Structures are given as structure tokens and as C-alpha cells.
Amino acid sequence: MVTVLVPWFGIAGVLFVMAYPWYMDGVVRALAVFGYAFCCAPFMWASFAKVMASLQVSIERDTFLPRMTGETSPTTEPNKLY
């Protein structure tokens, strides 16, 4: 669950950095936003990579292992997610 919330924390954090009212001028504000983005980017990248890997595994699992609730999934129809 934290993996999905990391981008939201990043967006909220950068909005807080931009809204901080005690910057001397716009250059300092821009440098603060750049610094925040530089520090936050690796966590965002890892979060997106984990979510995409999880989605890929979910798609592959659904294709090879049909649901156990008695429903039959059509295997001749191509998957429309990718």
C-alpha cells in the first residue's frame, strides 16, 4: 500500500515546498523545488517500477490461471490491457 501512496506523498510534498512563503525570491524557490524533486525521484522511480511489476504479474497470472469461482475465461480473445 505504501508503494501506491509514494507518488501522492511526493505530489503533496512538492506542493508544500512550492507554497512555503518565506523564500527570498523565485530563484531560491525554484532551487528548493529542484532539490526536492532530485531527492524524491529515486523513491518515485522504485514505486512506479514495483507497481508496474505487480500489474505485469497480475496480468500473466490471470491469463494462465483462470479464476477459481467457476467462471471460464476466454483464452482465444487477446488481452486488451497491452
Side-chain angles (χ1 to χ4, degrees):
M1 183 169 163
V2 173
T3 305
V4 177
L5 292 177
V6 165
W8 289 103
F9 291 145
I11 291 168
V14 78
L15 288 176
F16 178 74
V17 168
M18 286 190 298
Y20 188 71
W22 292 283
Y23 293 118
M24 291 182 226
D25 56 4
V27 175
V28 175
R29 184 177 306 230
L31 287 173
V33 170
F34 177 75
Y36 180 82
F38 183 78
C39 293
C40 188
F43 299 107
M44 296 282 273
W45 186 268
S47 174
F48 285 135
K50 285 182 182 180
V51 168
M52 294 304 293
S54 176
L55 286 174
Q56 184 66 28
V57 167
S58 176
I59 290 170
E60 290 174 359
R61 183 179 303 150
D62 191 39
T63 302
F64 294 119
L65 298 173
R67 299 192 187 276
M68 300 303 284
T69 61
E71 300 174 0
T72 58
S73 64
T75 56
T76 59
E77 187 176 320
N79 194 349
K80 296 178 184 172
L81 293 176
Y82 59 93

